[in-house]
């Protein structure tokens, strides 16, 4: 049975982890490994598809990731009882400035109405994920949180680079990446399980932490297996996939309730492992 911490009050962990103005810069920098992973993944897929705009697009992805995660952090600071206005101001400014730069690159990159429509859908999800629309917040719908994250990442770093060329990835390849990212969302749900209220019915809150770790390893195995399938089980892809799976399982095994937040950078960097697998084997 999961015990939820009181999100309000001086003794709650939620308030304890609220960033000060000084630590806000650290939290922004902490998004860089994730943004860098997005850049490498976008570049690898763009290189496979021979997209000429891959350089500009990777910059767009980097700035977009910083904008999105800063926006979500800004929202969290607004709903938490925090007296630190500097933190909200820092994340608000970073989010707005990054979004502005991303929009400038957007109009330079895309003219295809289908891509514009898909990216508009992604933008809608980004806002609706934390801000209420029709009285609904998407991340509070049971089990939808991880699926949305995996869907958006798959669209941004896989679908868009391939859409601009005649090189179409197979369905197992796309689904393999989707399951890979979905697996990576579970450790963060485990981290937040003691802070999320019971109304946010994430997978760890429903089946428990131990079973969630098993499910996460299975999803990772499924994602890597589908990538191996697209390479016709080339020996190099199988060896690399098994190595990634073992490292991931070990990271999950070491994850505890009091694991420091910096530890989760390793899970962010698991996206780089996927990029390496695709680069060297596909």
């Amino acid at each position: 049975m999961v015990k939820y911490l009181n999100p309000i009050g001086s003794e709650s962990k939620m308030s304890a982890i609220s960033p000060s103005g000084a630590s806000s810069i650290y939290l922004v920098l902490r998004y860089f490994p994730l943004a860098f992973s997005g850049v490498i993944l976008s570049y690898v897929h763009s290189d496979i598809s021979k997209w000429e705009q891959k350089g500009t697009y990777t910059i767009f992805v980097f700035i977009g990731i910083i904008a999105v995660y800063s926006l979500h952090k800004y929202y969290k600071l607004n709903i938490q009882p925090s007296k630190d206005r500097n933190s909200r101001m820092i994340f608000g400014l970073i989010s707005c400035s990054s979004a502005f730069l991303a929009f400038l690159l957007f109009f330079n990159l895309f003219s295809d109405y289908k891509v514009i429509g898909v990216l508009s859908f992604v933008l809608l999800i980004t806002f609706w994920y934390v801000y209420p629309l029709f009285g609904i917040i998407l991340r509070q719908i049971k089990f939808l949180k991880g699926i949305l994250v995996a869907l958006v990442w798959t669209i941004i770093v896989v679908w868009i680079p391939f859409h601009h060329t005649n090189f179409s990835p197979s369905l197992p390849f796309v689904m393999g990446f989707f399951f890979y990212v979905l697996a990576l969302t579970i450790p963060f749900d485990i981290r937040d399980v003691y802070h999320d209220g019971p109304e946010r019915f994430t997978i760890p809150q429903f089946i428990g932490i131990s079973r969630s770790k098993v499910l996460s390893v299975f999803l990772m195995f499924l994602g890597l297996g589908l990538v191996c399938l697209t390479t016709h089980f080339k020996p190099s892809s199988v060896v690399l996939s098994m190595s990634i799976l073992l490292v991931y399982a070990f990271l999950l095994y070491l994850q505890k309730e009091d694991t420091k937040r910096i530890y989760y950078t390793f899970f962010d960097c698991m996206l780089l492992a996927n990029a390496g697998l695709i680069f060297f084997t596909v």
Side-chain angles (χ1 to χ4, degrees):
M1 186 71 178
V2 176
K3 295 181 179 179
Y4 301 99
L5 298 177
N6 178 15
I8 299 175
S10 59
E11 299 299 321
S12 69
K13 284 191 178 181
M14 184 69 84
S15 59
I17 63 174
S18 294
S20 64
S23 63
S24 296
I25 301 299
Y26 160 75
L27 286 175
V28 172
L29 292 175
R30 190 186 164 279
Y31 296 146
F32 274 56
L34 186 64
F36 181 70
S37 298
V39 165
I40 299 301
L41 279 164
S42 300
Y43 184 87
V44 167
H45 289 115
S46 299
D47 187 62
I48 292 173
S49 64
K50 309 299 181 185
W51 188 19
E52 295 179 355
Q53 294 273 40
K54 59 186 176 185
T56 306
Y57 184 65
T58 54
I59 297 173
F60 171 79
V61 170
F62 181 87
I63 295 173
I65 290 174
I66 297 296
V68 168
Y69 282 88
S70 296
L71 173 68
H72 290 178
K73 190 65 183 180
Y74 175 77
Y75 170 79
K76 290 179 182 178
L77 289 173
N78 273 334
I79 64 173
Q80 291 176 10
S82 172
K83 297 181 180 179
D84 188 5
R85 296 182 180 179
N86 290 333
S87 296
R88 294 196 296 271
M89 182 180 70
I90 289 171
F91 281 101
L93 286 174
I94 291 175
S95 178
C96 290
S97 58
S98 300
F100 176 73
L101 292 174
F103 272 113
L104 291 180
L105 290 172
F106 174 87
F107 291 111
N108 183 53
L109 276 169
F110 307 114
S111 58
D112 187 326
Y113 288 111
K114 186 176 182 179
V115 174
I116 292 174
V118 170
L119 284 176
S120 298
F121 169 73
V122 169
L123 185 62
L124 174 63
I125 290 178
T126 298
F127 279 95
W128 201 357
Y129 184 78
V130 292
Y131 288 95
L133 186 62
F134 307 115
I136 299 171
I137 299 177
L138 291 181
R139 74 190 306 268
Q140 293 182 351
I141 298 177
K142 297 177 182 180
F143 313 122
L144 191 59
K145 181 180 175 182
I147 293 174
L148 289 176
V149 172
L151 175 63
V152 168
W153 271 85
T154 303
I155 290 173
I156 295 299
V157 304
V158 180
W159 183 81
I160 288 180
F162 284 110
H163 177 74
H164 286 82
T165 66
N166 294 324
F167 189 97
S168 298
S170 64
L171 181 61
F173 180 84
V174 176
M175 292 305 298
F177 183 79
F178 175 85
F179 286 124
Y180 189 96
V181 177
L182 184 59
L184 288 174
T185 64
I186 293 179
F188 295 93
D189 284 338
I190 293 174
R191 179 196 65 186
D192 296 336
V193 72
Y194 295 96
H195 309 301
D196 287 344
E199 70 280 358
R200 296 179 185 176
F201 223 23
T202 58
I203 290 174
Q205 289 174 315
F206 182 66
I207 66 175
I209 292 175
S210 297
R211 291 189 182 94
S212 295
K213 290 183 177 182
V214 173
L215 175 61
S216 184
V217 171
F218 172 75
L219 289 171
M220 179 68 68
F221 172 78
L222 181 59
L224 292 169
L226 288 171
V227 173
C228 289
L229 179 64
T230 62
T231 66
H232 304 289
F233 294 98
K234 186 189 302 183
S236 58
S237 68
V238 174
V239 171
L240 279 174
S241 295
M242 291 304 298
S243 300
I244 292 171
L245 185 64
L246 288 173
V247 170
Y248 182 68
F250 184 66
L251 287 174
L252 275 179
Y253 173 76
L254 293 179
Q255 184 186 10
K256 307 295 181 184
E257 176 189 348
D258 57 349
T259 298
K260 294 184 178 180
R261 297 179 75 86
I262 188 66
Y263 181 79
Y264 292 89
T265 303
F266 291 112
F267 290 111
D268 291 336
C269 291
M270 289 298 296
L271 290 168
L272 290 175
N274 182 271
L277 173 65
I278 294 168
F279 180 78
F280 289 111
T281 63
V282 174

